[in-house]
Amino acid sequence: MKNKKLPLYIVRNSKVHGKGVFARKDIPKGTRIIEYVGKIVSCKEGLRIYEEQLKKSKETGAGAVYIFQLNKKQDIDGNVSWNPAKYINHSCSPNCDYDIINNRIWIFSKRDIKKGEELNYDYDYDLNDYQDHPCKCGSKECLGFIIGKRYRNKFKKMMENKS
Ligand SMILES: [Zn+2]
């Protein structure tokens, strides 16, 4: 019974980037693993914090931007100590996804995940400032930048036109 209370994840150093979040045990597909929590701010305030975090992360190379859009009017600033989900890295071929249910952001498994695997999801960034977000996820699908799945084709076309 005690084990049931243990979280499904553990935070430790990642080869991909800084810290990462890993499966503490086998996790079946469709499991809510962790909630992305933080301070709720207006989108306007969120944008200001985003730009500040981006500037700082460019200076330090930390790649640490934690603004998550919650709805049309509000963002969550996840850069707080009580939000281990902020350590989940992006992947171009992720094993998790997020879902916003009743104004709460949940990270859930989109396939079966083995104990010890690093958890990741698609940060779903658009093509603005993509150069500021290099990706080192190492998957075969990797575009080299953190770009949401729905922008992949557009990005590829952009690159073709460049060359
Ligand atoms: Zn990648």
Side-chain angles (χ1 to χ4, degrees), residues 73-102:
K73 289 182 181 151
Q74 294 170 313
D75 290 338
I76 283 189
D77 176 11
N79 191 21
V80 295
S81 59
W82 67 89
N83 179 33
K86 72 179 175 185
Y87 295 119
I88 302 178
N89 286 307
H90 165 90
S91 171
C92 300
S93 176
N95 53 17
C96 293
D97 203 350
Y98 66 86
D99 204 2
I100 301 176
I101 303 161
N102 295 328

Side-chain angles (χ1 to χ4, degrees), residues 92 135 137 142:
C92 300
C135 183
C137 75
C142 189

